Amino acid sequence: MRREKTLKICANHFIIPELQLKPNVGSDRSWVWTTPADFADEEAKAETLAIRFGTTENAQKFKEVFEEAQKEAVKSE
């Protein structure tokens, strides 16, 4: 989802090491992952999520930041 005022991408779940970011079938600009606890509806539930970008470069940048967040999660455990 995006923040209303800044339009920055944000997640309604924790970025944990167990999440597997996978390329969406047929596109080099989108990713799919499953989270065990999405809080979008204020109640945690498992969800399969996807995101698509306008360019391959932005999709790769998202992947790099996502994986960096996973590494940081491991450090904080």
Side-chain angles (χ1 to χ4, degrees):
M1 90 179 220
R2 289 190 181 270
R3 300 247 182 238
E4 288 182 32
K5 293 184 180 181
T6 63
L7 299 178
K8 290 187 177 183
I9 297 170
C10 64
N12 291 325
H13 59 83
F14 293 107
I15 306 296
I16 56 177
E18 294 79 19
L19 298 180
Q20 294 182 352
L21 194 61
K22 299 176 185 176
N24 199 0
V25 177
S27 177
D28 61 351
R29 299 180 302 143
S30 60
W31 301 103
V32 176
W33 69 97
T34 301
T35 180
D38 180 57
F39 294 95
D41 298 324
E42 298 185 23
E43 183 177 317
K45 64 180 179 177
E47 291 281 356
T48 298
L49 304 168
I51 189 165
R52 184 179 57 178
F53 294 91
T55 66
T56 302
E57 293 80 21
N58 284 342
Q60 287 298 356
K61 186 175 180 182
F62 175 83
K63 181 181 182 201
E64 291 167 9
V65 172
F66 191 96
E67 291 173 345
E68 185 61 34
Q70 288 179 305
K71 290 176 188 172
E72 290 296 320
V74 169
K75 289 180 188 177
S76 66
E77 288 182 345

